[in-house]
Amino acid sequence: MSRSARPVTVLSIIRDCLDALLHPSARYDALTRARHRAFMAPRLLGSLAAFAAFPVYLAMRGAPSAIEVAAFAWLIAPILLSWFLSRTGRYEGAHVLSSLALAGLVMAIAGTTGGIESFAAIWLVVVPLEAALSASRRVAAFASVLALSCAGILILISQLGWLPSADTSAAERGVLMAFGVASATLYATGLAFGAESLARTSVALLSREEERYRLLARNMSDVISRHQRNGAVQFISPAVEAMLGMPVAQLLGHGLFDRVHVADRPAYLTALSDAARGEVRSVEFRLRREPIGSERDQVNFIWVEMRCRPLDRDLGRDVTEEAEVVGVMRDITDRKLGEQALDQARSAAETADAAKTRFLATMSHELRTPLNAIIGFSEMIAQEQTLMLGAAQRKEYAQLINDSGQHLLSVVNGILDMSKMESGNFEIASEPFAPRASLLHCCNLLALKARENGIDLITDAPQDLPMMTGDPRAFKQIVLNLVANAIKFTERGGQVTVAAAVSGSQLTLCISDTGVGIAPDDLKRVGAPFFQAGKTYQRRHEGTGLGLSIVKSLVALHLGELTVQSRLGEGTAVTVKLPLAYAPQQARTPDKKLSENKIATLVPVLRQELQNQLQDQLKDQHHDQLDELQDQPALVKKSA
């Protein structure tokens, strides 16, 4: 274990020593650090090895010549070059100086040992090979020119006979030539291994960087894409699979564009086109997603935001040419839903504020009129001696005061009931009762009002209506409000029909009229508190706008259904379905039920269609009793 661990320890010590010599600019980039280390390590180790071998050379050679001393002294140059790189961090400059130093050493030795025929001339080939490690074309070109220039100079001075005469024998020249070739080959081999090590380090670093970016692209929630100038997708990160529920391969090319909502495609292409021209753009659009295996199984489109910008241009590229585009997309569906909810809340708040304004205006009229009557007629009764009022007049005034007080009481009771329903404090007293008797009683109460308005009030309540369980007071209030509304909005000579039938486990009430009807825009808001249909109706009517809202709330508290069908100028039909057996413990909280119990139909129908629907219901339930119902008191017709 100690033998195998020792080289690792020695290499670690050498690496640490070299890292301590690195320039600060090379300590934070792995590839630059490896290049600096590869430059200094062989030169420092080679110089130290040469100095260590110098005594051995002296023992074998004897007294050295001047040229040999100069050659060994020249070996201090690599140490100086390593010091230069350590102090300045100029990697290319260090390689240029290294090429000059090596070429100068070769020229000095070759000039005294035979010129171009010297054993040292082969080292000129090593000069450009060493410069190749600089990864710089300029340095490699300089070293190549330098080596060729040195070779030319050696050839020239050899031809001119300026070289000193060689006193070595042929055997010595052969040995020196072999030494020169072997040493140059070994040095070139070291350079090759160094180049291979740098290449391996570069590939490893590149692979590590690619894996890092691949990991980021795989785990980022945002989707990164690369587009051509025409919008075609060249690359898109795997995060799109979780966003759209489909593989990446199907989104390449124009696959992503095909999933963009048709209405958003112009904005999508415009943003990419602007980004290709050098601008940074942001666009929001809808993308179709696969519902299978997604978090929002019911959503076919999601909102995404894409920020796109041009890809960095290469040096020398035509600046007028459109660049490719890099886009970053993120899912903003939740934000869009929040914005829509905020808009709806703002609209609801504005509607509520408008309703409050209308309510105050309505209440000021509804309360002021009966109060004026009460105050005025009570003052007249108080001054009966002065005004010489008779008994008949006092009785009439007292009746008017009583009627005004009853009207005030009904207004206040309606507001209190609505407040209780909205706060969840309205209590239902559930008990068995006969719906037919309650229905006939309510119609009889309103028969006088219908007669005074010249309206036919037709009540169709079969005698075999079963007993039902619920709040009889709430049932009467539902009928009274609906029938009163139908009479109020029906012109003289019109008709109001009240029909009851049993459908399964529900009691179905249908109150239809031939009145002014409701416009489609107002039909959407029917049942909202304090809402009264718009200004286009044929006449203005008194009321607080709470009648249908109270009916809707009471129906919801009984777990029933309310449907309104109407067409402007042709009439309205309100259908109420109540369970025959109401269970209070199954009732929902009023606020939750009211929010869920929307008016279902909102579909205009013709007057003839209303009558046909009513007749069809009656025929299905009581086909055998139609002839008998005409002669029974259950069918009551009140006319003017």
Side-chain angles (χ1 to χ4, degrees), residues 182-416:
S183 60
T185 303
L186 290 175
Y187 191 74
T189 302
L191 293 178
F193 278 107
E196 188 274 337
S197 177
L198 288 178
R200 187 171 61 251
T201 302
S202 177
V203 170
L205 293 175
L206 181 61
S207 177
R208 189 182 306 171
E209 290 296 321
E210 288 181 351
E211 182 62 27
R212 181 183 305 170
Y213 289 120
R214 190 178 297 111
L215 181 65
L216 290 176
R218 186 182 302 114
N219 292 277
M220 283 180 60
S221 59
D222 293 351
V223 176
I224 303 174
S225 57
R226 180 175 177 178
H227 304 259
Q228 293 180 348
R229 293 187 296 271
N230 60 358
V233 177
Q234 289 183 306
F235 165 81
I236 191 165
S237 60
V240 74
E241 296 182 358
M243 178 182 291
L244 298 181
M246 62 184 310
V248 172
Q250 297 183 18
L251 298 174
L252 298 178
H254 294 285
L256 181 64
F257 174 78
D258 293 338
R259 306 191 72 81
V260 178
H261 195 281
V262 176
D264 299 332
R265 290 180 180 179
Y268 170 79
L269 293 177
T270 301
L272 290 177
S273 177
D274 293 342
R277 289 194 295 268
E279 303 177 10
V280 179
R281 284 289 179 265
S282 178
V283 61
E284 296 178 357
F285 56 91
R286 286 161 289 182
L287 277 176
R288 188 174 75 255
R289 72 194 303 267
E290 296 295 335
I292 301 177
S294 62
E295 296 179 358
R296 305 180 185 90
D297 291 341
Q298 302 300 325
V299 179
N300 293 326
F301 283 89
I302 61 172
W303 279 96
V304 298
E305 178 188 29
M306 184 174 72
R307 297 181 180 274
C308 43
R309 59 183 304 158
L311 197 64
D312 294 338
R313 303 178 187 272
D314 297 332
L315 294 177
R317 185 175 179 178
D318 187 4
V319 296
T320 61
E321 184 181 357
E322 292 184 348
E324 295 180 349
V325 177
V326 174
V328 179
M329 292 185 296
R330 63 178 52 186
D331 188 349
I332 59 170
T333 304
D334 293 337
R335 192 187 78 187
K336 281 291 185 179
L337 292 177
E339 292 175 356
Q340 293 176 2
L342 184 61
D343 292 340
Q344 293 177 358
R346 183 184 299 110
S347 177
E350 293 174 353
T351 302
D353 184 68
K356 180 189 69 175
T357 303
R358 290 194 303 270
F359 168 70
L360 293 177
T362 301
M363 292 305 298
S364 64
H365 172 75
E366 290 293 327
L367 297 178
R368 183 172 61 247
T369 301
L371 284 175
N372 287 335
I374 293 173
I375 294 173
F377 288 115
S378 62
E379 288 179 352
M380 295 178 67
I381 293 177
Q383 300 176 8
E384 61 176 342
Q385 295 180 352
T386 305
L387 298 176
M388 303 296 292
L389 298 178
Q393 289 179 320
R394 288 196 301 271
K395 182 178 179 181
E396 181 183 359
Y397 294 163
Q399 184 62 42
L400 292 174
I401 293 173
N402 181 267
D403 293 341
S404 299
Q406 292 294 335
H407 178 66
L408 282 176
L409 181 62
S410 65
V411 172
V412 173
N413 286 336
I415 296 174
L416 292 176

Side-chain angles (χ1 to χ4, degrees), residues 21-34:
L21 296 175
L22 293 178
H23 189 265
S25 63
R27 295 177 181 176
Y28 303 102
D29 183 75
L31 184 58
T32 303
R33 184 169 61 249

